[in-house]
Amino acid sequence: MLGNNNDRVIRRLAEKSVRNNRNRSLILAAAVALASFMLFSVFTVGLTWLDMYQLQNVRLNGGEFDAVLYGITDGQYEKCMSDKDVLLAGTVGIAGSIEKTETDGTVGAGCIWADPVFWDEIMAPAREWVRGDYPQTEDQVMISEKGLKSAGLEGLDVGDTFSAEYRDSEGNLSWKTFSISGIWKGYGDGGEFYVSEAFYRQSGYELSEVASGRLYLDLKPGIMTSDQQQTFTDSLDLGKQQALFFTGDMGYSVPIFLGLAGIAMVTCLCAYLLIYNIMNLSVAGNVRYYGLLQSVGMTERQIRSLIRRQMCMLGGGGLAAGLLLGGAVSFLLFPSVIRSLGIRSSEVGTIEIVFHPAVFILTAAFTALTIYAGSRKPVKKAVSVSPVEATGYRGTYDRSGYRKTRRGKIFPRMALEQLTRDKKRSTVIMASLAAGMSVFLCLVTLLESEGARSYVYIYRDADMALTNDTLNMDEKDGWKQLMDGDFLEKAEAVEGVREADPLLCAEVMVPWEPDFVEKWLEEFFAMWMYAPYEDYREKYQEHPEDYSTFLIGINESDFDYMQENMDIAVNKEDFLAGKTCVLYRNSLDFTSEQLKGTEVTCALPDDPGETRTFTIAGLTDENYYSGAGSIFPPVIIVSDQVMRDYIADPYVAKLSLFYDETYDEAAEQELISLMESSPDANDFSCSSRLEAKENVEKAQGNMMEVGIGIALILALIGLMNYINTVTGNIQNRQNELAVLESIGMTDRQRNRMLIMEGLFFAIGSLALTGTIGLGVTYVIYQALNYMGAPFMVPLWPMVGMAALVTAVCILIPLAAGSRMARRGSVVERLRESGQ
């Protein structure tokens, strides 16, 4: 058959078809609009987040770098300089510290030398302005506005001088006069004094020392996997004390990127399923029409053109509406979404939404691809039916010509048979519903657990923890008993406080002996010290009281918690009786098995004859017991009762508080008032789960509403798919249902059958959500779960979602069946269907 050039006719037919099938056209256009809106939103949020995240990290880190190496050997520096993946390598050296000035006695700011690469290139993006020049002579310093204020030097300017007490590499203090060569303002710590290379060379420090040398690396790869990071680390052949740390850009951005990409994929899938189903139903309902068009001369190519014109009209309108909607809500909604993904306005300022041309191109491309993929098979079906076949087409589902009679209740059996007549279509409907519910499940689980995954860790998951900061002071004369017996009684008496567990602490010394202590000190110096152990060995033997450590006392609950995280089982009775102890490992290369059974002796510094000997039962890595300051001997952990028997009045170093009700604001406020009423209130530090929760909720803003909104959009697409399919299905079954009514089926029985069909759809979609959807949610959760919080699905949101989906799946078939019944009597419907 020869084709005719009927482009104008085809265009008019396409326009007429869109108008005549108004309901389906509106649903399809709405699906495209929602899909394009979602894609536009995802791409816009993704690009904006990436831009803001990079800016935030530059400002938080005080420079633009990806990794920092502690301690630098000449070989490692040459390796980094010659590595093709290293763009920049900036050197920094710690050159002692400024302890005090004439106007401030507690400065404690580091002196830092930065080479030109670090100062001029790596650090430059984190600075707002600089006045003056970087120090060149030994007496010059560069300091920020913030540093001037914190050192009590406010009001000084470039060229002014000041005196400060300086601590060198040997710990010696001396007063020096410095001249301010420059002042800067920017981000990062900002309290340091930047000094010249000449100053660093005379400070006594070496770049090879971990305490001094830093090599900041700006790497070429934007993202490095854990394996790639490990390979790069291994290539540097690090020493025992050295460490290479990568910034958060290299890891945290990957889950966020994959999460946004996953939402885009699910959006495309939902839109594809709906477009495919609508087009499939539309083609099935117009097979006779397409056959008639072929019989009057329309070619297959022209039928394809007709359907594609319809899709272009609906798709173009939906795409335009989606882009306009996305642009309209961007300024109102997206900044809160960006903040909820971890961007801090305090660091990046006003969040500016990125409208990149690529966003529009990608949105249009993905939407067009979805429309094409969704309509491809229905178009192929439309052109494959010949005019003769179209004349006798009835759109029936069951092609086998017979059905085997089965046992069982008739209505559930008939409903199940209806689902299995067209397994592909039923699967599409359930997958579409499950996709929206899975996104809802994922978002709600992540948002509900945001606090648990982000809160500051508190020992034993306590509600509040108080710390005696005076025990961190080098001068032991400044140590105070902040939490004495009276304070503890008042804390325990606070209404709502279930438990108050003190961590006892006392200074002890460990006399030198050639076996265990010698072994421990050798490993400690190899791990943490720069001077060889031989330089201190004789001093320690003669005066162990100069190298004191801490004896830590814990109660039974603390022991149970400690035991859960140890690599060896410890006999509880022996520990509580004072026969055994546990040591804090302090990152040394010892295992519990190596030291188990070894004896350790401790003595009181003021009374060396008063000793206690314990058998080591194991090692712990819990830094809650780490003590304070630079400690050579091991920190010894024993039962609190044993400690009280040994030491009359031990310090309470920390206090863990547990509430009857988590996040009890009244109890928390009373405890804070108790702490603030102390004459030494400034010497406390406090960690609070309630405060952390409030900070997370503040950062989240309205992210829960946004997340639910995203899930509802996808769920709406799935429901539109279900509504359209079920309505069309019942319409096509008009003849079948009329026949059933003619042989005695009542309205109530018909409704029971339709309810069962809806229930099967709901059960199928919920099953997919509870298996595949839950599995995907778990994987995403663990990827973001850097705090190790337990995985837990929020019960009531999921119950509400399941109830809503079940109700919709039941009510839609009932409404469609009732509407069909109202269209006329059984005879009229049979006649209308062509019987």
Side-chain angles (χ1 to χ4, degrees), residues 161 279 397:
T161 60
M279 289 300 299
Y397 291 99

Side-chain angles (χ1 to χ4, degrees), residues 359-380:
V359 172
F360 295 92
I361 295 172
L362 284 172
T363 301
F366 273 83
T367 303
L369 183 63
T370 301
I371 294 172
Y372 171 76
S375 60
R376 186 170 176 269
K377 286 189 177 181
V379 170
K380 185 177 180 181

Side-chain angles (χ1 to χ4, degrees), residues 317-334:
L319 176 61
L323 292 175
L324 289 174
L325 181 62
V329 302
S330 297
F331 295 101
L332 299 175
L333 190 61
F334 292 173

Side-chain angles (χ1 to χ4, degrees), residues 217-366:
L217 303 174
D218 185 12
L219 303 174
K220 185 176 181 180
I223 295 176
M224 292 180 71
T225 64
S226 298
D227 291 339
Q228 291 173 326
Q229 292 180 20
Q230 188 60 49
T231 299
F232 183 80
T233 302
D234 293 341
S235 70
L236 296 178
D237 191 23
L238 301 182
K240 188 179 183 67
Q241 295 181 340
Q242 286 184 292
L244 178 68
F245 297 101
F246 291 87
T247 63
D249 302 53
M250 287 290 174
Y252 183 60
S253 56
V254 176
I256 293 290
F257 172 78
L258 294 178
L260 294 172
I263 292 177
M265 290 179 62
V266 173
T267 301
C268 290
L269 173 63
C270 291
Y272 163 79
L273 293 174
L274 178 54
I275 292 170
Y276 169 81
N277 231 2
I278 292 176
M279 289 300 299
N280 197 53
L281 288 171
S282 178
V283 168
N286 290 285
V287 166
R288 295 184 185 182
Y289 175 65
Y290 295 130
L292 179 61
L293 291 176
Q294 290 187 67
S295 67
V296 297
M298 182 174 280
T299 63
E300 291 183 4
R301 181 174 175 273
Q302 290 171 333
I303 291 178
R304 291 179 187 272
S305 177
L306 170 64
I307 299 177
R308 285 173 181 167
R309 282 179 185 270
Q310 298 174 29
M311 294 305 301
C312 286
M313 293 169 61
L314 297 172
L319 176 61
L323 292 175
L324 289 174
L325 181 62
V329 302
S330 297
F331 295 101
L332 299 175
L333 190 61
F334 292 173
S336 63
V337 177
I338 302 299
R339 285 191 294 268
S340 299
L341 292 173
I343 302 302
R344 307 176 189 177
S345 298
S346 59
E347 298 295 336
V348 302
T350 302
I351 294 177
E352 299 179 358
I353 301 301
V354 176
F355 287 106
H356 196 278
V359 172
F360 295 92
I361 295 172
L362 284 172
T363 301
F366 273 83

Side-chain angles (χ1 to χ4, degrees), residues 604-622:
L604 300 180
D606 298 333
D607 188 5
E610 187 67 29
T611 63
R612 289 289 189 277
T613 300
F614 305 96
T615 301
I616 300 172
L619 304 174
T620 179
D621 296 312
E622 176 55 65

